[in-house]
Amino acid sequence: TLIRAAPPPLARIDRIEQTTLAGGLARGFTIITSVTGEIVGGEPAISPDTAVCPECLADILEPGNRHFRYPFTNCTNCGPRLSILRAIPYDRHNTSMVDFPMCTDCAREYHDPADRRFHAQPNACPSCGPRVRLIRPDGSLVSAESTDALADAWALLQRGEILAVKGLGGYQLACLGTNEAAVARLRRRKRRSDRPFALMAQDTEVVARYAQVSKEEELALKSPEAPIVILNAKRDHGLA
């Protein structure tokens, strides 16, 4: 009843089958370790990548939290899945996270059924997970620590520079949307004189400064899928 009424945020229930066992479970109930390449009960269903959830975002923004300002924070309700998968089933050793052994704290969360990071395969923190660094086009290092790299990257954007942000699916070119010279330079380099660029914003409150946002559009922006939403621009929006 509970799994029908309140499933996990990303769960999709295709069907529920119930069988009454005579005498109950004589040996108790166990979850056994999966075997690479072995799929039981039909085709595997791998969830797509999803945007950071409110709980993980709160961890990132909370000073003193061990995930504070750590951009790779995730849990079972959010984070990368398909993009990091190398084989099935979806277990950590079958993903690119196999190169990052979990620290004691992350391992404790991962093995605790009461924790929202229980079996979150990309679970990581600054002590054991991937790190952010900022490098120049020639490969030389600018900043090695996550906090410094993000602060330095923001300073470059404010100066009108164009950044190549390496993500799970390749590189994303970014510049400050209110800087006409930077946007024009990016358009020349991309040979994209007319087609619009996607805009990034901290939250829907920031989006509302530049565009009209209906309730339906706001729900789409805040959804786990975090799609690109086409909005009507406000007059004198100030974007390049």
Side-chain angles (χ1 to χ4, degrees), residues 113-205:
D115 196 287
R116 79 171 195 279
R117 294 191 169 98
F118 176 57
H119 282 189
Q121 307 304 336
N123 190 27
C125 72
S127 298
C128 63
R131 307 299 294 269
V132 172
R133 61 177 181 166
L134 181 64
I135 59 175
R136 299 182 180 88
D138 62 6
S140 58
L141 184 66
V142 178
S143 307
E145 294 298 325
S146 296
T147 301
D148 295 338
L150 294 174
D152 291 342
W154 172 233
L156 290 173
L157 289 172
Q158 289 180 302
R159 280 169 34 190
E161 301 291 344
I162 298 172
L163 300 184
V165 183
K166 185 178 182 181
L168 293 168
Y171 284 88
Q172 176 175 287
L173 300 180
C175 69
L176 198 61
T178 54
N179 188 314
E180 292 187 10
V183 174
R185 190 164 68 254
L186 181 57
R187 287 196 177 282
R188 290 195 299 270
R189 294 181 179 180
K190 289 282 291 180
R191 299 180 182 179
R192 193 169 175 173
S193 58
D194 298 316
R195 290 175 59 196
F197 289 135
L199 296 169
M200 295 185 291
Q202 177 176 321
D203 49 39
T204 53
E205 286 71 24

Side-chain angles (χ1 to χ4, degrees), residues 25-152:
L25 295 174
R27 298 182 180 178
F29 175 77
T30 59
I31 299 177
I32 63 174
T33 303
S34 54
V35 178
T36 298
E38 180 181 290
I39 298 296
V40 179
E43 293 296 321
I46 306 300
S47 300
D49 299 355
T50 56
V52 61
C53 68
E55 291 82 4
C56 283
L57 184 59
D59 289 344
I60 295 172
L61 298 177
E62 180 187 0
N65 190 297
R66 66 190 189 87
H67 291 279
F68 181 55
R69 291 184 177 175
Y70 183 62
F72 303 109
T73 299
N74 68 93
C75 70
T76 53
N77 299 330
C78 67
R81 284 165 173 78
L82 188 61
S83 294
I84 63 173
L85 191 64
R86 292 176 175 174
I88 53 176
Y90 175 60
D91 290 326
R92 192 180 180 96
H93 63 270
N94 289 331
T95 73
S96 56
M97 290 300 295
V98 68
D99 299 324
F100 300 93
M102 284 183 284
C103 65
T104 301
D105 289 330
C106 285
R108 174 183 48 77
E109 294 172 334
Y110 181 86
H111 292 290
D112 181 3
D115 196 287
R116 79 171 195 279
R117 294 191 169 98
F118 176 57
H119 282 189
Q121 307 304 336
N123 190 27
C125 72
S127 298
C128 63
R131 307 299 294 269
V132 172
R133 61 177 181 166
L134 181 64
I135 59 175
R136 299 182 180 88
D138 62 6
S140 58
L141 184 66
V142 178
S143 307
E145 294 298 325
S146 296
T147 301
D148 295 338
L150 294 174
D152 291 342

